[in-house]
Amino acid sequence: MKTMIKRTVILGIASICAFATLADERASQALQSKLAGMQQFSADFTQEVTDPQGEQIHQASGKLVMARPDKLRWETAQPDDTLLVADGHAVWNVDTFVEQVTIVDQADAINDNPIILLTTNNPRKWQQFSIAQPSADTFTITPVNGQGQIQQLELVFDNNVLSALSMQDAQEQTSALSFTNVKTDFTPALTLFEVTIGDHYTIDDQR
C-alpha cells in the first residue's frame, strides 16, 4: 500500500513538472512570436525605482533604442545625462557628469539578465530562463539558476507592441518603465550603437 502511494505521488509530481515545462515552452513561443515583430524598437521612457517597501527611491526619463541582434542604446535626460550603449561586443557606460567611460564585455554584463531576450534569437540564451504567461499580453521571465542581479523581468504588451516592463533585482528593488512614442518600423542608424568620446574623458576598460 505504501509503495503504491509513493508511486502515485511520484507520478503526480512528474505530471506537474511535465505540465509546467509545456506551459513554459508555450509561453516562450508566444513571447518569441511577439518579439519577432520588434526587430527594432524605439521609445521614450519614464522610470520609477522603488524599494522593497514600495517607497520611491529614484525617477528618470529618457530614450531607448534596441535592434536585433544584441544592440541597445539607453539615454537618460533626467535627472542626469547618461548614456549606455551595447554594440554587440561591449557595453559602454558614459557618465558625462564625471566625464568617465566604463567598458565591459557584453557577454559578462548580460549574463543571466533576462533583458537579453529582447535583443537575441540565440536558443541557448532562451534556455537560461523560465517564462510564464499569466495573461495574453503579460510575460514573466526568471533566470533558471537564479544567480543574476535581475531576479525577474515582467513584459507588458499592447497590440503586440511592448508598452511597459518591470525588473526586480537581488535587493528586491523594482524598476518599472513605461514607454511612449513607440516605433518598430524603421531602420536604426548604426551610429546609434557607437560611442564617440572626448580625449579628456577617463576610460575604465574592464574587458
Side-chain angles (χ1 to χ4, degrees), residues 45-111:
F45 70 84
T46 56
Q47 178 188 30
E48 180 182 42
V49 181
T50 54
D51 65 16
Q53 289 72 45
E55 295 293 327
Q56 183 187 100
I57 57 177
H58 180 70
Q59 275 186 310
S61 62
K63 189 175 184 64
L64 173 68
V65 182
M66 295 184 292
R68 291 185 164 217
D70 305 327
K71 291 181 173 60
L72 177 145
R73 180 185 180 93
W74 171 286
E75 195 168 6
T76 62
Q78 297 289 337
D80 301 305
D81 292 332
T82 61
L83 174 64
L84 184 144
V85 172
D87 62 14
H89 304 286
V91 175
W92 303 65
N93 192 349
V94 183
D95 190 325
T96 57
F97 181 74
V98 297
E99 297 184 336
Q100 176 174 308
V101 180
T102 303
I103 311 170
V104 298
D105 184 83
Q106 187 163 329
D108 293 335
I110 60 177
N111 188 39

Side-chain angles (χ1 to χ4, degrees), residues 28 32 117 120-129 131:
S28 178
Q32 290 184 61
L117 299 189
T120 187
N121 297 315
N122 188 327
R124 290 191 302 171
K125 294 297 183 183
W126 280 79
Q127 291 170 4
Q128 295 175 6
F129 303 95
I131 302 172

